Structure formats: structure tokens, C-alpha cells
Amino acid sequence: SLRFDLLMQLTGTLRHGIGEPSVYHAVVVIFLEFFAWGLLTTPMLTVLHQTFPQHTFLMNGLIHGVKGLLSFLSAPLIGALSDVWGRKSFLLLTVFFTCAPIPLMKISPWWYFAVISMSGVFAVTFSVIFAYVADITQEHERSTAYGLVSATFAASLVTSPAIGAYLSVAYGDTLVVILATAIALLDICFILVAVPESLPEKMRPASWGAPISWEQADPFASLRKVGQDSTVLLICITVFLSYLPEAGQYSSFFLYLRQVIGFSSETVAAFIAVVGILSILAQTVVLGILMRSIGNKNTILLGLGFQILQLAWYGFGSQPWMMWAAGAVAAMSSITFPAISAIVSRNADPDQQGVVQGMITGIRGLCNGLGPALYGFVFYLFHVELTDTDGSEKGAKPNMSAIIPGPPFLFGACSVLLSLLVALFIPEHTGPGMRPGAYKKHSNGAQSHSHSPQGSGAEGKEPLLEDSSV
């Protein structure tokens, strides 16, 4: 009957999506998710201060610390499961739980912060997105594709904080929360209806009842593999030392600009927009040029160098023009993570993309927890109290060192310097012939998958990345 045919077409659409999988499906998913959260920048700061009036940023660090720890433990597991069951279902799962706390902001702030903490179990969208991109791109295209995804993240934050701040002042926080919830629902519907599965059928089990070994389900098994593979270990240490200050910076920098440097709300919104636009250019145009001209590893080193300069400038800078100059440098430092994801993807086997990207995203999740707590503690230690959110104490300057206005940023520069020293030892592989087995696995994905459960014990002793000697 006609109804049955329509039902079957709808079921097929929900299962397979619309059209062939492309990078643009991943771009839309990332944009909508982080645009929704970007709208809440101002209301979230207000609710956080009202809920925890004492030591606001220390409580912020504790909340995000729990979330980051859960992300750190779950990201490798979710990445590995997406290697088996496909990317679409886990995209839906991660986006849903990442955005689940949004409507609770006005319903119950305590539940809002509790759900944010627990949502870390599934808030690992980037690991699934990068695995999705790896499924549908050739090796030489991945750095550009990863740069596009990262640039989309920056693009989502170009206008959303300013829009959220304007709507919050003009119509109240409730409207902003409703709008962010609607955008999150739109993202979920887009995944359900439009996003096709990227993992080939031959690389997945015949049914959802296929056995999953404890080796695959144990998050610590994936973490132990970090130490067994020298390249993965170096990359994870590099990511940890470089992203730790970046995560802390995100949690307090905009309020730092307002209270310590003296930026107005409009100037902060303009700063976010300008740095976001420059980051988009850096991660699309500049990244591609650098990858072709100086190579993957040197691009990582250059990005880390820009990050050191940026953080040192933030730490010693006390004038608005210094913040603007450092913001331009910060945009150039945004090339680091897509370059790291590219070097990981180029050297990982097709059926290990989710695992290794999950490890990297898990490390970032841990930094998202430790970074805000570290910055809040250092600000507190140096008597730079970041608790004034309404600007009631106009003209009041917090106690701060005349030589080092931003002590946490200087600590961050030292951390990134260590990251740069570690990254010097990451081997770079540029030839297509260094992983001959990888193309065999592409052509015979079903066979490689069928042997993975039985070989899980031996697989733990093999490197996740090919030819990873230092």
C-alpha cells in the first residue's frame, strides 16, 4: 500500500540519510551544536555566578573537571564502538547528550550543572566527526578536511556569543535558552534525516548483536595502548600540554578582557568575531598551504610556536591593543589541532580511526576539566578574583601584579613550550607506500573486521600507528 511504501522510504532515509556522505554533513553537525552553545555564553556566566557566588571559577573548574574526566574515559570507547557499529548512531548519541543540559538552564540551574557534568560520558562529538571524515576522504585530503571542520567550530563562535548577548539584554535569558534548544533539536533532526552512514557495510557486523570483547569495551585498554605506541604517546603528551592552557583560557578569558583589561561587552563580542574570522582563514587557506609547503610535523611545530607567543602576550599585556595583537596570533595557533588529527589519521589503519581519534579527543576532554580549575586556582593564588559579572564595580581593578597582569597565561606558555619540545620527536611520514597494509584493509574491510575480535589479545601488543619508531 501507499502508506507502507512511504513508511519504508522514511525508514530508509533515517537509516541511510540523504545522498552520499560528505565532509559538509560533518560541518553542519558541528556548526549547529556549537552555535547553540555559543548563544549561551553570556547567560551561562550569569547563571554560574548566581548559583555559586563564592569562588565562581573554582566551581566552574570542578563541574567541568567531572565532565572532562568522564570524556577522557569514554572517548576511546565510543570511538572504538563507532568503528564497529557505524558513525551515524554515535553522532546522534553524542550530539543529543552534549545538548541535553541546554533547556535545564532556566528550569533548574542545579540540575543544569549536574547534567553538564554527567554529559561528559557522551560529549565527544569531535572524535566521531573526525572518524566520519576519515571514512570518506583520501589520505592527502584529510588535513584540509580537518581544517574545514575546525574552521566550522570557529565560525560557529564568530557571531553566536554576540547574538546571545544582544538577545539576553533585549529580551532576557529565557529567549536565548529557547533559541539554543531549538537549534540543538534542529541538529538532532538533521542527523536523523540527512546524515548518511560513512562506515562501509562490509566493515560492520551483520547485526547489532555481534559480540564485543571486553578488550574493545574497556576504556583503560585503549589508554594502555597509548604507552605501547611511541608515536601515539608523543602525540597525546603534545595534545595534553598544549590544550590544557587553551581549555583554561576559554573558561575565563572573555571575563578577563572585561574586568582586567577594560573591554566593554560590545568590544568583547567584536574580539570574538575578528579572532573567529581569522581562525577560519588560518584553518582553511593557511593550513593547506603550510601542509603542502613545510609538511605535517612542521605545521604542528609552527602552530605551537604561535600559541607560545600568544599566551606570553596575554600574560604580559596590559593594554587593549596588545590583546588585539595577541588575538591575531591566537588565530594562527588554531592550525595545531587539525594538523595533529591529520598526522594521526594518515598513519592509522582504517578500522582504527575511531580508536585513535577517540584517544586524542579524550585527552582534550581531560584538559577541558583540568584547564578551567587550573586557571581559576592560579587567578585565586595571585589575587586576581574573577567574580564580577555585572560590572557593578566600575573602575575597580582587581589586585594583580604590575609585571604579570595575567599569571595563568604565562603558566600556559611554559606548558606549550614543553609541548613543543615533545612534538620535536614526533616522526613524520609523508610517503604513500609506508603503510602497504592499510590499502589492503580498505579493499577487504570485512576480512579485517572479522579477524579483529579473535586477534584482540595480540592487537594490544601492536602499535596503533604504523611504523611508529622514533
Side-chain angles (χ1 to χ4, degrees), residues 357-378:
Q357 296 293 354
M359 287 181 184
I360 303 301
T361 303
I363 295 292
R364 284 166 62 95
L366 182 64
C367 293
N368 282 329
L370 297 178
L374 176 63
Y375 267 52
F377 176 74
V378 175

Side-chain angles (χ1 to χ4, degrees), residues 271-333:
F271 182 90
I272 296 173
V274 171
V275 174
I277 292 172
L278 293 177
S279 298
I280 294 170
L281 294 175
Q283 295 175 29
T284 52
V285 180
V286 178
L287 178 65
I289 295 173
L290 291 175
M291 292 288 286
R292 289 190 296 269
S293 58
I294 65 176
N296 208 153
K297 177 182 174 179
N298 290 330
T299 301
I300 295 173
L301 297 177
L302 184 62
L304 293 174
F306 279 120
Q307 189 177 0
I308 294 171
L309 178 59
Q310 160 221 335
L311 289 169
W313 214 333
Y314 284 155
F316 288 109
S318 58
Q319 300 298 322
W321 71 266
M322 297 179 179
M323 299 297 106
W324 284 100
V329 178
M332 285 300 302
S333 71

Side-chain angles (χ1 to χ4, degrees), residues 166 317 470:
Y166 171 77
V470 180

